[in-house]
Amino acid sequence: MVVSSQTTLQNSSHIFKTCNIPVIDMLDPQAKFHITKACQEFGFLKVVNHGIPNETMTNLEGDAAKFFNLPQCEKNKVCPANPFGYGNKRIGSNGDVGWVEYLLFTTNSEIVSEKSVSIPGNSQLFWSSLNEYVTAVRNMACLVLEKIADGLTIEPKNVLSRLLRDQKSDSCFRLNYYPPCTELEALSGGNGNLIGFGEHTDPQVISVIRSNNTTGLQISLRDGTWVSVPPDQYSFFIIVGDSLQVMTNGRFRGVKHRVLANSLKARLSMIYFGGPPLNEKIAPLSSLMEEGEESLYKEFTWHEYKKSAYKTRLSDHRLGLFEKKIEVS
Ligand SMILES: C=C1C[C@]23C[C@@]1(O)CC[C@H]2[C@@]12CC[C@H](O)[C@@](C)(C(=O)O1)[C@H]2[C@@H]3C(=O)O
Ligand SMILES: O=C(O)CCC(=O)C(=O)O
Ligand SMILES: [Fe+2]
């Protein structure tokens, strides 16, 4: 595993610390061990040599940029996000706001449904680049999950990836556009940190982020410090979600992350959130549990967790409601 070096990143007028983010070469025969270690330590990693053609990413990026650059009145024709559709500054339905516009789509194991959100313009091309991208990224997410099963020496190898491949997989896909903010200093109250997308963990199993070459993404380390992730348009970033934290009984951690707005450049990110079918029980994998080990979590289905999660604010500790209280004698 290569570890990206520690340095500083300039975001508009501010300098942020970056950290040693694990970089996984998917062609490395040891990748399964490196991925597993990164999920335990950070809940976050970068994937290189993933085999997804650059064109698959740039085609969708181009189509998404075309959409976000349309006049506001055109974008407003898309159904307002609830949760699927077009959103502008408001995130979710519980009062969160950010310097971001987005399109949120539902997807199962096959396609991103055109019925969920209708896009103005030459939408046929948009849907074909969207579906090509999501298919490629889902396959890569499944490969990562298979390497995790291998790294943890659990059987069967598809114990995690089957959730994303299931026809009823409740996954979603998001295009986030963070316009450059010319009044960043004023809007941030003078501290230069304007929230694009507030701190949160992702509720699903695994998320895959690809962005253009604009800074903004930050992750929180175990000690609570925020570090900037240097952008890399050719690679993917993997995020461990709350559900994978539960399935590994806390061995992996769902990483807190956020995006800060930039005063000079637009950030465009595309995120696949791999989720299980609604009726799937989310519980520690039996093949992983050691003798006498107890689950740290109450039993729940993905449907129950999602219903509860969507009532929370972004920064809430969503898993808190499902953690078992440890008896102190
Ligand atoms: C404030 C919210 C937005 C969110 C639903 C929620 O009530 C809490 C979780 C949020 C989140 C974070 C990861 C993904 O971006 C997302 C689509 C998801 O599944 O959970 C968003 C939700 C959203 O934007 O609707
Ligand atoms: O836009 C990004 O880079 C990350 C956004 C994010 O974390 C999310 O949409 O859940
Ligand atoms: Fe996220």
Side-chain angles (χ1 to χ4, degrees), residues 199-203 240-242 254-257 305 314 316 318:
E199 66 175 83
H200 66 284
T201 58
D202 292 347
V240 169
D242 298 339
V255 67
K256 250 196 216 162
H257 53 286
Y305 188 58
L314 268 181
D316 288 344
R318 280 174 275 288

Side-chain angles (χ1 to χ4, degrees), residues 83-84 91-96 102 104 172 174 176 197 200-204 207 257 271 273 302 306 308-315 318:
F84 305 114
I91 302 170
S93 51
N94 307 308
D96 285 287
Y102 60 89
L104 187 58
C172 54
R174 172 167 216 142
N176 284 339
F197 204 110
H200 66 284
T201 58
D202 292 347
Q204 292 81 2
S207 317
H257 53 286
I271 309 120
F273 303 92
W302 167 241
K306 194 174 143 181
S308 156
Y310 274 64
K311 288 184 187 147
T312 62
R313 299 283 300 257
L314 268 181
S315 65
R318 280 174 275 288

Side-chain angles (χ1 to χ4, degrees), residues 215-252:
T215 56
L217 180 65
Q218 297 192 320
I219 59 165
S220 164
L221 302 181
R222 278 184 186 273
D223 66 4
T225 47
W226 285 100
V227 290
S228 293
V229 178
D232 179 351
Q233 62 198 321
Y234 303 108
S235 306
F236 293 96
F237 294 96
I238 304 282
I239 286 192
V240 169
D242 298 339
S243 300
L244 189 53
Q245 176 172 324
V246 174
M247 294 172 109
T248 56
N249 207 26
R251 287 168 177 77
F252 287 7

